[in-house]
Amino acid sequence: MTIPLRAPRDIAAPGTGRVGDSPLRPDGTLKVKGEFAYSSDLWMDGMLWGATLRSPHPRARIVSIDIAEALAHPGVHAVLTHEDVPGRKHYGLDHTWDQPVLAIGEVRHQGEPIALVAADHPETARRAMDKIRIEWEVLEPLVDARRAAFDPAYPQVQERKNPARHQPVRVGDVARAKQEAEVVVTGVYEVGIQDQAFLGPESGLAVPAEDGGVDLYVATQWMHNDLKQIAPCLGLPEEKIRMTLSGVGGAFGGREDLSMQIHAAMLALRTGRPVKMVYNRHESFFGHVHRHPAQMRYEYGATRDGKILYADVEIILDGGAYTSATLNVVGNAASLGVGPYEIPNIKIDAYGVYTNNPPCGAMRGFGAVQACFAYESMMDKLAAACGLDPVTIRQINACKQGSKLATGQVIEAPLPMAEMLQTARELPLPPPLDPTDLRNLPGGASQTTHGEGVRRGIGYGVGIKNICFSEGFDDYSTARVRLEVIGGEATALVHTAAAEVGQGLVTIEAQIARTELGVDRVVIHPADNRVGDAGSSSASRQSYMTGGAVKVACEAVRERVFELVPVRLGRTYPDLSLEGGKVVSASAGVLASIEDVLGEEVIEETREFHHHPTTGMDPVTGQGSTHTQLAMCVHRAVVDVDVELGLVKVVELAAVQDVGKVINRVSVEGQIHGGSAQGLGLAVMEEIVVTGGKVRNPSFTDYLIPTVLDMPPMRLEILENADPRAPYGLRGVGEPPTLSSTPAIVAAIRDATGLDLNRVPVRPEHITSPAAP
Amino acid sequence: MRVSFTVNGRRETVDDVWEGESLLYVLRERMGLPGSKNACEQGECGSCTVYLDGTPVCACLVAAGQAEGREVRTVEGLADGDRLDPVQEAFVECGAVQCGFCTPGLVVQAHDLIERVEQPSDAEIREALAGNLCRCTGYEKILDAVRLAAARKAADR
Ligand code: FES
Ligand code: FES
């Protein structure tokens, strides 16, 4: 096997940190030196550059494609269309297989891949793409998500019919509760399309192998699921595709679907040369799915003193042309549609639909983000209608341990929501506005105000997120752990297929191995498919699942070390443990060093870890115990708003999150900071703007993500109420803060302005001319 | 065309450069220095920040030919062998690195700041880093890292 330059390699984890400590990241030094090998950094002698021709139209028929001129262009080695896809012509998540590898006769969204070029220079490939001649019959795009959900006469987007999924939830008797309610509030909410905007573009290298297969170096969230789609499309058995995870520059859900994997492999297999593909930012906006935009209608009825009696909810999620993760996103939106509140009568209808808008799928928060903006906005509305403050209304209706979600699922682990809200409320507030430094004001260095017209507001948000996969899915993980003496020191080698995407999984893998094996020296092997499935780096699940797998694999290794004790020491002990590099008996004390017990022995164990089973959602009532674990974050946001110009400055974000058990404090804080920042982005700036199915802002010039000037200082309160079923009692951390920061910030803007603000992101014109949509 | 300039103290010459190539492309794809990153290639993210004659620039916005005869210093040229620069060290220590794709650009930008400004205030740090996007960290720990590096540097002066 020929190895490309800068292929990933074993990394020794620095320090001696156990579970609960904060050792340095194993990959940190490489990353600060610029030596960490990302998927766009790969290089190989004789490699070609691949490029993808994409549709300029959201909906059109392809009358003909002529590649002759492109193929004749000097320096071009291959031009491929759907006819060249060696195997299955479609791929897709969740066995939907509805997305063409390359468009066949028609395109269903702007940016849909049509043809591939391999050339000796990226510019040659681009010029050759310009020479591919396509005759189009342009059609009117189908972009009305509401009609797609409800109008049987609306034309179908693809073979799978609309709606992609309709998931109802029915609890109690909403009709009767409507008679009894003393206070009724309604809201219509909208969430724009958010992009993951990971910084490392889709990229990778495909190397044709001698056995007719291909070696793929890619950045993905879930190698084994990629493989299940890549192999049939290439017409190859899975064993002939060796995947290695290259450095991943962030993911946030956007790498759950395939991007360049099959394309690069097709070009490599056709040309017999290694092929590198790297999207630029413009292409990246079309190269992955986004967060589903949502249209939501809510009606709550309550008693005069604020106890909610019923919720009547409709959520429409626009998935674009292909299914991607839509089915599960709908499941989340439905099951978490009213959030962590005890409501006796519930009617929710969540729909996912196909349109010719940009394709949408997984993004951090996954279906729970959209609903959270709506239900939290409703809580504030209800508070106002009942004359209560936003914290009290939430406390009155808060779920706790033993409460039921809308699905009837009982919350089994501790959930101190009312207390978390209280903590958030009592945290010290930031100092008042200081107009002497203009940089502190909305508009900042642009000097748009000296403090006049600036009003401060405070808002709260609570989010609840399911951790791990739901609805009966067995998303297990696998870990292989080897223990041997290397250079006189007992060394643990940890090997999984789990994707390190920046979250710090490799750091805690080492911490867990040290904790369970009592050694200091841990080496992390690159993630690849030569070990079993680890599931996806999604749903905040890897600490739980791959952390759990590393733990059980280490326990198996540890047992084998104990089996060596009688061999080496001539007697048995019932009470052994591994601590501080020693084999220790609780009764007899330190027996020997781990090195002495191991000797020449190499112990290797591979184990799977499964979470406890969940059920599906009843198709009619939505009832079921569908979620593996639930995690909560509470935000308090403080904002200054220049009401004359509509400019918002988030002054402070405080977060209270229950993480069950802090495995690594620095990583936990980093996840809460980063998740909160993405929620801030959705609240006040981030949206893929679409007209007639076409994206109008596919660049970082026009799609804005928070900079260091937009992100305020954060105050964190991290709680550790263990979930007894999870390894070490931990809860997933990454997603909950992304849910709750958005509604908290919008609530604060409402507090400052008195406006309704039922759409995110909130733009300046929504504040200055609130009549605008 | 042929392009020749000094990178991290070494004279480098590459041939057959297409006129449209950026300094970033030449560094990454022709000189074996992929440390500077390619997050946007349109001057919006700062991940490609390098020193050009001592001034931080977005390498994606500099045509390769514009670097002819000049001095380039990249993230790969900051450490002294295995001894990290104080900014690099602080980034690792403070947890300012997650996926790390923004890191090379931020490290160079922060390095420049604390060269120029002794003990920068938070407002000065924010202003200096405003052109560098990070999608993972929410910037809190990046600020911590720059404060720490600046404090250590001041203690050394
Ligand atoms: S890659 Fe140069 S600024 Fe983004
Ligand atoms: S650490 Fe991922 S973009 Fe900054």
Side-chain angles (χ1 to χ4, degrees):
Chain A
M1 190 161 101
T2 355
I3 310 270
L5 213 59
R6 299 187 281 271
R9 49 194 159 96
D10 284 357
I11 306 182
T16 58
R18 266 54 176 178
V19 166
D21 301 334
S22 286
L24 305 184
R25 291 183 68 101
D27 53 14
T29 301
L30 290 171
K31 284 177 174 175
V32 294
K33 291 174 88 178
E35 290 173 4
F36 186 71
Y38 293 90
S39 57
S40 51
D41 298 342
L42 299 159
W43 197 89
M44 206 164 182
D45 250 342
M47 77 182 188
L48 300 172
W49 288 83
T52 315
L53 179 69
R54 293 173 182 276
S55 169
H57 307 295
R59 182 168 175 240
R61 248 186 284 286
I62 300 171
V63 179
S64 65
I65 306 182
D66 181 359
I67 61 166
E69 211 184 320
L71 204 49
H73 189 86
V76 169
H77 291 252
V79 180
L80 308 180
T81 66
H82 69 90
E83 288 173 13
D84 303 295
V85 177
R88 202 162 176 167
K89 305 275 185 189
H90 295 79
Y91 68 97
L93 296 178
D94 301 316
H95 312 288
T96 49
W97 302 100
D98 63 341
Q99 191 152 359
V101 175
L102 293 168
I104 308 170
E106 62 183 311
V107 292
R108 299 184 182 87
H109 67 89
Q110 186 196 17
E112 180 156 353
I114 299 166
L116 306 169
V117 175
D120 53 14
H121 188 281
E123 180 62 15
T124 316
R126 278 192 288 271
R127 290 184 185 182
M129 285 202 303
D130 287 344
K131 294 189 170 171
I132 297 175
R133 306 275 169 238
I134 299 180
E135 198 186 322
W136 294 103
E137 184 194 329
V138 177
L139 304 171
E140 184 64 25
L142 304 163
V143 295
D144 188 332
R146 177 162 287 276
R147 285 191 67 195
F150 299 123
D151 182 355
Y154 202 54
Q156 296 293 337
V157 172
Q158 58 142 306
E159 273 170 33
R160 294 175 67 93
K161 301 270 176 282
N162 262 323
R165 181 174 177 185
H166 166 215
Q167 179 59 58
V169 176
R170 298 287 183 268
V171 179
D173 186 345
V174 169
R176 216 186 62 202
K178 285 196 184 196
Q179 318 275 305
E180 289 162 12
E182 295 163 326
V183 180
V184 174
V185 286
T186 60
V188 176
Y189 301 100
E190 212 174 288
V191 174
I193 306 180
Q194 190 179 19
D195 189 68
Q196 297 83 355
F198 44 68
L199 286 202
E202 292 87 342
S203 49
L205 183 75
V207 185
E210 273 163 21
D211 65 353
V214 62
D215 300 335
L216 272 175
Y217 297 85
V218 290
T220 173
Q221 289 175 233
W222 188 2
M223 261 182 291
H224 282 78
N225 202 47
D226 283 8
L227 188 61
K228 282 186 198 145
Q229 300 166 78
I230 297 168
C233 292
L234 294 179
L236 288 171
E238 289 187 7
E239 317 74 83
K240 288 204 172 175
I241 301 170
R242 284 151 298 260
M243 297 190 67
T244 306
L245 187 76
S246 285
V248 184
F252 317 117
R255 299 187 207 266
E256 233 170 79
D257 297 70
L258 294 176
S259 58
M260 45 60 66
Q261 287 91 327
I262 301 172
H263 296 163
M266 281 172 59
L267 290 170
L269 290 169
R270 174 63 72 94
T271 60
R273 304 260 294 262
V275 173
K276 173 167 171 169
M277 289 184 97
V278 182
Y279 293 179
N280 63 21
R281 185 52 50 181
H282 180 273
E283 185 171 19
S284 179
F285 272 101
F286 297 99
H288 60 260
V289 299
H290 318 288
R291 187 190 301 293
H292 289 71
Q295 303 175 24
M296 301 173 285
R297 296 181 172 181
Y298 275 64
E299 179 182 317
Y300 281 9
T303 62
R304 212 166 289 118
D305 51 8
K307 188 85 193 113
I308 303 174
L309 295 178
Y310 73 88
D312 188 349
V313 174
E314 175 194 280
I315 300 172
I316 302 172
L317 298 153
D318 185 347
Y322 300 111
T323 310
S324 179
T326 295
L327 306 180
N328 295 318
V329 166
V330 170
N332 270 11
S335 61
L336 302 172
V338 296
Y341 298 101
E342 285 185 340
I343 303 178
N345 303 286
I346 300 173
K347 174 175 180 287
I348 299 173
D349 289 283
Y351 303 85
V353 297
Y354 299 112
T355 66
N356 297 119
N357 285 319
C360 290
M363 183 177 169
R364 194 175 196 166
F366 201 86
V369 163
Q370 296 90 334
C372 183
F373 169 60
Y375 65 67
E376 285 302 276
S377 300
M378 288 297 286
M379 294 310 289
D380 289 334
K381 222 174 225 189
L382 189 60
C386 297
L388 293 166
D389 70 83
V391 170
T392 307
I393 191 89
R394 286 171 170 82
Q395 289 173 323
I396 290 173
N397 295 286
C399 279
K400 51 186 179 299
Q401 190 169 27
S403 301
K404 280 183 185 165
L405 294 175
T407 53
Q409 175 163 8
V410 175
I411 297 169
E412 290 180 37
L415 189 77
M417 172 171 162
E419 295 82 348
M420 289 167 77
L421 278 157
Q422 198 61 29
T423 306
R425 192 211 312 251
E426 286 167 5
L427 287 172
L429 281 163
L433 183 82
D434 169 17
T436 57
D437 188 342
L438 297 187
R439 288 175 295 192
N440 296 331
L441 299 174
S446 315
Q447 308 198 11
T448 48
T449 175
H450 287 81
E452 68 282 359
V454 176
R455 295 198 203 130
R456 179 156 290 192
I458 302 178
Y460 293 86
V462 182
I464 189 163
K465 178 67 185 49
N466 54 322
I467 309 298
C468 301
F469 285 8
S470 297
E471 297 191 62
F473 203 89
D474 179 19
D475 52 317
Y476 68 94
S477 180
T478 314
R480 179 179 298 152
V481 174
R482 186 162 83 199
L483 185 65
E484 63 187 312
V485 180
I486 299 176
E489 189 175 359
T491 304
L493 182 79
V494 179
H495 184 190
T496 76
E500 167 61 56
V501 296
Q503 79 278 46
L505 177 65
V506 289
T507 321
I508 70 157
E509 285 177 355
Q511 291 174 254
I512 291 171
R514 289 193 194 106
T515 301
E516 299 304 327
L517 296 174
V519 300
D520 285 344
R521 192 155 192 283
V522 180
V523 174
I524 307 294
H525 190 65
D528 57 34
N529 68 335
R530 268 74 85 203
V531 61
D533 198 344
S536 183
S537 290
S538 317
S540 310
R541 62 179 283 287
Q542 286 294 21
S543 298
Y544 192 131
M545 297 308 301
T546 296
V550 171
K551 182 170 186 280
V552 294
C554 286
E555 285 163 0
V557 168
R558 192 170 62 200
E559 279 311 309
R560 292 208 23 217
V561 176
F562 295 159
E563 285 165 19
L564 287 174
V565 168
V567 183
R568 302 278 191 254
L569 304 180
R571 59 161 286 195
T572 56
Y573 298 83
D575 51 4
L576 293 171
S577 62
L578 300 180
E579 284 161 50
K582 310 278 189 238
V583 180
V584 181
S585 152
S587 51
V590 173
L591 301 177
S593 70
I594 295 176
E595 286 83 3
D596 285 345
V597 172
L598 274 173
E600 300 285 295
E601 201 81 19
V602 177
I603 299 180
E604 182 177 291
E605 291 291 345
T606 304
R607 286 292 181 279
E608 282 178 6
F609 179 76
H610 299 253
H611 59 69
H612 58 90
T614 60
T615 74
M617 291 181 84
D618 184 278
V620 178
T621 66
Q623 298 300 290
S625 209
T626 64
H627 296 312
T628 309
Q629 185 184 54
L630 295 153
M632 174 170 284
C633 183
V634 176
H635 269 98
R636 185 192 67 192
V638 179
V639 303
D640 285 335
V641 183
D642 181 335
V643 294
E644 292 160 6
L645 294 174
L647 299 176
V648 175
K649 164 107 186 159
V650 183
V651 176
E652 192 206 61
L653 267 177
V656 183
Q657 185 166 339
D658 191 347
V659 303
K661 160 83 184 165
V662 174
I663 304 295
N664 181 314
R665 186 164 298 272
V666 169
S667 295
V668 163
E669 290 171 353
Q671 284 300 306
I672 301 177
H673 291 151
S676 302
Q678 291 184 2
L680 180 148
L682 180 60
V684 293
M685 61 182 78
E686 289 184 37
E687 181 175 10
I688 292 188
V689 180
V690 179
T691 331
K694 287 197 181 181
V695 176
R696 294 179 45 198
N697 55 343
S699 74
F700 279 164
T701 315
D702 299 312
Y703 183 93
L704 301 181
I705 65 173
T707 70
V708 71
L709 293 174
D710 301 309
M711 228 357 237
M714 285 200 66
R715 201 184 278 278
L716 305 185
E717 284 292 321
I718 296 168
L719 312 182
E720 295 184 271
N721 292 295
D723 176 347
R725 290 200 281 205
Y728 307 107
L730 70 81
R731 289 169 206 256
V733 179
E735 289 171 292
T738 307
L739 271 63
S740 47
S741 70
T742 307
I745 291 166
V746 177
I749 304 173
R750 288 189 194 111
D751 184 41
T753 60
L755 296 170
D756 238 357
L757 303 176
N758 43 26
R759 183 184 200 285
V760 282
V762 176
R763 297 208 202 94
E765 63 267 31
H766 299 156
I767 295 171
T768 53
S769 1
Chain B
M1 62 181 185
R2 162 175 290 197
V3 179
S4 176
F5 52 84
T6 306
V7 188
N8 301 330
R10 262 205 340 261
R11 189 76 179 181
E12 295 272 4
T13 302
V14 284
D15 285 311
D16 301 322
V17 173
W18 169 60
E19 290 73 6
E21 284 176 26
S22 65
L23 172 60
L24 180 65
Y25 183 90
V26 167
L27 288 169
R28 290 176 50 78
E29 303 295 341
R30 295 192 183 273
M31 294 183 171
L33 293 169
S36 312
K37 288 290 166 272
N38 54 323
C40 77
E41 297 172 85
Q42 52 188 188
E44 294 290 352
C45 76
S47 73
C48 60
T49 307
V50 300
Y51 282 111
L52 182 62
D53 288 343
T55 306
V57 297
C58 291
C60 71
L61 292 185
V62 177
Q66 288 177 285
E68 179 64 34
R70 300 172 74 177
E71 288 229 19
V72 176
R73 192 175 177 200
T74 72
V75 68
E76 288 101 331
L78 293 186
D80 181 4
D82 277 344
R83 248 189 60 125
L84 295 181
D85 179 87
V87 175
Q88 294 174 312
E89 203 170 62
F91 265 66
V92 183
E93 267 179 51
C94 294
V97 180
Q98 287 188 30
C99 85
F101 212 79
C102 65
T103 305
L106 274 157
V107 164
V108 173
Q109 197 69 48
H111 183 269
D112 173 67
L113 171 68
I114 68 172
E115 284 291 315
R116 287 186 291 109
V117 186
E118 205 174 322
Q119 300 280 43
S121 68
D122 274 13
E124 283 173 309
I125 300 174
R126 286 183 189 268
E127 211 161 287
L129 304 185
N132 291 76
L133 298 177
C134 172
R135 190 52 158 167
C136 301
T137 65
Y139 304 101
E140 283 284 86
K141 293 191 184 293
I142 291 172
L143 289 166
D144 289 347
V146 180
R147 289 182 201 117
L148 177 65
R152 283 191 181 152
K153 179 124 191 184
D156 277 0
R157 274 189 234 232

